[in-house]
Amino acid sequence: MSASKSNIKGALFALAGFGLFSTHDVVVKTLGATLSTFQIIFYSVLLSFPLVMLMLMRDRTADTLIPKHPWWTALRTGCAVITGLCVFYAFATLPMAEVYAIIFAQPLLITVLSIPILGETVGRHRWAAVVVGLIGVVVVLRPGASEFTLGHLAAVVGAFTGSLVSIIVRKIGQDERSAVLLLYPMMANFVVMALALPLVYTPMPLIDLGLVGLMASLAFIAGLLMIQAYKNGDAAIVAPMHYSQMIWAAIYGSLFFDEVPDKVTWIGAGIIISSGVYIVLRESLGGMSRVTPVLRTKSRAETGTTPRVSALARISRRTPARAQ
């Protein structure tokens, strides 16, 4: 297959994957209207475990579940739990387009965090893109012109902690076993949400449990599609497909929640997306980035509720012969 056809195939897989992730977010928002974020995450993790176990059966690595980098693993795990709480809460309380626009700032934050954590050197072009992108975030938040709610704060915090998770995985991912990368955030989420559950529990009708199961399935299938996307296409082609979620936000928001993104939100999102795409292009050009932290972020923010795409990809590539 030619490179162009392979890239088209990768882009289509990515578009399908992010479309399913957006459908997952519709379910989160729907459940968030009546259920606590703690309860949604608890059941999401609970129903994701069987899918994760099926994947881990392919992991033949002869090693323990004790992390080789315990402090980094602990920080990553804590940040993943915070990201899940913040992002799920943001979807429950804000229009989908606003949440996506703020979360799209992740490439900017990853670029900045890569300096102290990965020792990356960021040139003036990427610094300019970061500054412009953060201006876009301010445009979306429009301080003083509209109310800054707890949902907006949650989205901003979720974008930051999600970026920190991605950077930490970039730092320790090659040393840590895939099972450690998969299980620690999910187990931490399960324990934390279980402790909070008695304080917020609301009886769930069968349809809500079914929706949680649908969430887990959508995220898992979307992760598998993203694996295929990166197998077939260049990262510089696949990564920008993330921004297609803004289109899904407009469609789903209008269909299900009577949400129509206003002009200011579109302008801010456009600034953020342009900055993110520019950073991806700068990283993909030879010599522009030593560690390409944004390009190596395989999917969106890790919430610890579903398997991480990069860890799933490692397991899916591994064969018994290679593991020996």
Side-chain angles (χ1 to χ4, degrees):
M1 184 183 297
S2 66
S4 60
K5 289 184 178 179
S6 183
N7 280 329
I8 291 173
K9 190 175 180 181
L12 291 175
F13 274 121
L15 288 171
F18 285 120
L20 291 187
F21 275 130
S22 295
T23 309
H24 166 280
D25 298 334
V26 170
V27 181
V28 172
K29 188 171 182 64
T30 301
L31 291 172
T34 56
L35 298 175
S36 163
T37 302
F38 292 95
Q39 188 168 344
I40 297 171
I41 292 177
F42 174 82
Y43 282 100
S44 177
V45 173
L46 183 65
L47 296 180
S48 294
F49 269 127
L51 300 174
V52 175
M53 290 302 106
L54 287 174
M55 290 300 296
L56 288 179
M57 289 172 64
R58 296 170 58 92
D59 187 3
R60 306 296 181 86
T61 306
D63 206 345
T64 70
L65 292 176
I66 299 174
K68 295 179 173 60
H69 301 275
W71 294 110
W72 283 115
T73 299
L75 179 59
R76 168 183 175 258
T77 299
C79 286
V81 172
I82 294 171
T83 302
L85 280 169
C86 288
V87 171
F88 276 46
Y89 179 78
F91 276 119
T93 57
L94 295 178
M96 291 183 68
E98 287 189 25
V99 179
Y100 282 140
I102 296 170
I103 291 176
F104 286 165
Q106 276 195 285
L108 318 176
L109 298 172
I110 288 173
T111 300
V112 175
L113 290 171
S114 69
I115 299 171
I117 296 177
L118 301 180
E120 171 78 320
T121 300
V122 175
R124 63 180 183 274
H125 293 282
R126 278 190 290 162
W127 270 121
V130 168
V131 172
V132 171
L134 293 179
I135 292 172
V137 174
V138 174
V139 171
V140 173
L141 295 175
R142 63 195 91 173
S146 63
E147 183 183 3
F148 185 81
T149 68
L150 188 59
H152 291 101
L153 177 61
V156 171
V157 173
F160 175 78
T161 54
S163 302
L164 188 53
V165 169
S166 295
I167 284 291
I168 293 173
V169 170
R170 177 74 184 94
K171 184 176 183 66
I172 68 174
Q174 294 301 314
D175 298 329
E176 295 291 357
R177 187 181 172 191
S178 298
V180 171
L181 298 175
L182 284 173
L183 290 178
Y184 272 64
M186 297 187 75
M187 288 299 298
N189 253 328
F190 184 80
V191 172
V192 171
M193 304 309 150
L195 292 174
L197 195 60
L199 304 176
V200 299
Y201 181 76
T202 300
M204 296 178 66
L206 189 59
I207 188 170
D208 284 355
L209 283 172
L211 287 174
V212 175
L214 177 62
M215 279 173 51
S217 301
L218 285 170
F220 188 77
I221 296 170
L224 296 181
L225 287 170
M226 292 307 302
I227 292 171
Q228 291 302 315
Y230 278 96
K231 281 184 177 179
N232 285 275
D234 296 332
I237 301 297
V238 173
M241 297 303 109
H242 186 188
Y243 300 119
S244 66
Q245 289 190 287
M246 196 67 188
I247 299 173
W248 286 111
I251 295 172
Y252 283 146
S254 176
L255 285 177
F256 300 118
F257 308 111
D258 293 325
E259 299 172 355
V260 179
D262 60 20
K263 185 183 295 184
V264 175
T265 300
W266 281 113
I267 291 173
I271 295 171
I272 298 167
I273 290 170
S274 299
S275 301
V277 171
Y278 183 80
I279 287 173
V280 167
L281 293 176
R282 292 294 296 183
E283 284 193 3
S284 65
L285 297 174
M288 296 300 181
S289 173
R290 183 173 59 85
V291 297
T292 58
V294 174
L295 284 176
R296 292 178 181 270
T297 301
K298 298 296 186 185
S299 190
R300 60 186 202 161
E302 182 180 357
T303 60
T305 57
T306 52
R308 181 176 178 82
V309 170
S310 59
L312 284 179
R314 285 169 55 179
I315 293 174
S316 67
R317 290 196 303 265
R318 187 169 290 132
T319 62
R322 190 180 301 174
Q324 291 176 355

